[in-house]
Amino acid sequence: MVHKERLTATLEGDFVVFLIGMRINKPWLIHKWFPVAQAMPRMLKELSQQPDLGLLHAEMWFSRTIVLVQYWRSMEQLLAYAKNKEAAHLPAWRAFNKAIGTDGSVGIWHETYQASAGSYENVYVNMPPFGLGKAGVLQSATGGRQSASGRLHGGRETS
């Protein structure tokens, strides 16, 4: 459902934004990139079935470069999942290194950002719940929350 009003999202406490993706460098080598593309949905299914692992929400876009934005409750939970020998991540990582490594056929990347109160802001207009708006709580971007500065300062405008 599209919300026609200006909204902003908040998330109580610290959280982590994890950007991860892959780039198909040699599209004709389907046997190289297709297994990599299949790995993330398995991990997302595992994480959605076990909310205590810390994933709050994820959004994915498909193109030559696949981008997945994830919101995690904490850096500790993200790192614990990455190292968990019982989880889907390590086998996928090992398979990538064995089948592709640095041969140039498929690129992978990630960026990790830790956020806390006063270090992020957002606005959504004519949008369905999206991104942090799905991970956190949406509220009207009115009063002190009308500007980016106001949203950064918890609804208190600064000069």
Side-chain angles (χ1 to χ4, degrees), residues 2 6 10 20 30 35 51 57 60 65 72 82 89 105-106 120 141 154 156:
V2 172
R6 287 174 54 92
T10 58
I20 186 167
I30 296 169
H57 177 65
M60 190 179 308
T65 299
W72 286 77
H89 174 261
S105 61
V106 180
Y120 68 94
R156 297 178 313 279

Side-chain angles (χ1 to χ4, degrees), residues 22 34-48 60 62 66 68 70 81 88:
M22 65 175 272
F34 191 69
V36 179
Q38 287 183 309
M40 189 54 74
R42 283 194 302 271
M43 287 182 249
L44 291 173
K45 181 178 179 184
E46 175 179 65
L47 288 161
S48 71
M60 190 179 308
F62 295 93
I66 297 170
L68 175 64
Q70 298 178 351
Y81 179 73

